Amino acid sequence: MKDAVRFHVEPPGARDRWGTLFRPILVIPHAILVGGPFLGFGGGAYRTGALGLLAITSAILDWFAILFTGRPIAGLQPLKRLYLCWRARVMAYACLLRDEYPPFGDGPYPAWLELPTEPDTRDFKSVILRPLLLLPHLIVLFALLMFTLLVCIGGWFSIVFKGTLADSLWRFTRDVMAYALRVEAYALLVHDQFPSFSLAEGAGATAVLARQS
């Protein structure tokens, strides 16, 4: 079954060695706002930013609203969607999937997130059990992100000194980021479809589709 959330990244061309050298510094302004893997606010490897904290607060409010009214609070979903799409672009840049500097907020970029439309009706059981349903994903995601950190460090040295990144490492990083974004969208109550554990779901991420925001 196709996942509700899809992360698309166009393969990079010649790598920007100087841009990669200063990548840990250049990504800081974005990390303050939307975070990213290993950067931002909070503990653990998958950190958020100021806008992410608002998205989390919105999800908590939506959780109570759905339990009592059957629908999320009007106007909060666009904030969460903006955050996730912006975050996806920053993660592609921070994790060396692309070298172009991402726009602040919305804007064209060769990495983008495909999100489902807002459900007409919400799955009450899925919503009320969401904190428990997330636990297996969070455990798997923690282990994957720890390994991805090592991959990104190795990839940084490879691009800076050799100007290349192995295709297998690029695909692995892309697929882990796709998985992380699927889990985060589910956690933020953007939709109710339980995300898959498969990293192979990112196999179609290089297809040229209409960018979602």
Side-chain angles (χ1 to χ4, degrees), residues 26-90:
L26 294 172
V27 77
I28 289 175
H30 281 287
I32 292 172
L33 295 169
V34 296
F38 330 118
L39 297 167
F41 305 142
Y46 197 66
R47 302 185 178 190
T48 189
L51 187 59
L53 295 177
L54 289 176
I56 293 171
T57 302
S58 299
I60 294 172
L61 295 174
D62 274 345
W63 188 81
F64 284 104
I66 294 171
L67 292 188
F68 290 104
T69 70
R71 62 180 63 249
I73 299 172
L76 293 185
Q77 288 289 68
L79 170 66
K80 292 185 283 186
R81 296 172 72 91
L82 170 65
Y83 160 71
L84 286 168
C85 291
W86 184 351
R87 184 168 169 86
R89 293 188 286 268
V90 172

Side-chain angles (χ1 to χ4, degrees), residues 39 53 57 95 140 156 176 210:
L39 297 167
L53 295 177
T57 302
C95 291
V140 173
W156 183 85
V176 172

Side-chain angles (χ1 to χ4, degrees), residues 119-211:
D120 293 328
T121 58
R122 304 307 299 253
D123 185 340
F124 182 81
K125 291 182 180 178
S126 171
V127 172
I128 196 172
L129 295 175
R130 190 67 49 95
L132 291 177
L133 294 173
L134 281 168
L135 285 178
H137 278 296
L138 295 179
I139 294 171
V140 173
L141 188 56
F142 177 81
L144 285 173
L145 287 173
M146 290 298 99
F147 186 72
T148 305
L149 174 60
L150 300 178
V151 171
C152 288
I153 293 174
W156 183 85
F157 280 102
S158 178
I159 295 174
V160 169
F161 291 103
K162 296 175 21 180
T164 61
L165 177 65
D167 289 344
S168 58
L169 298 182
W170 186 90
R171 289 193 301 270
F172 173 79
T173 303
R174 177 203 63 191
D175 291 348
V176 172
M177 293 303 104
Y179 175 46
L181 288 163
R182 290 201 305 269
V183 173
E184 188 168 15
Y186 183 69
L188 292 177
L189 299 173
V190 171
H191 64 92
D192 296 332
Q193 180 181 326
F194 191 73
S196 71
F197 287 89
S198 174
L199 293 184
E201 187 65 22
T206 58
V208 179
L209 300 175
R211 288 170 174 76

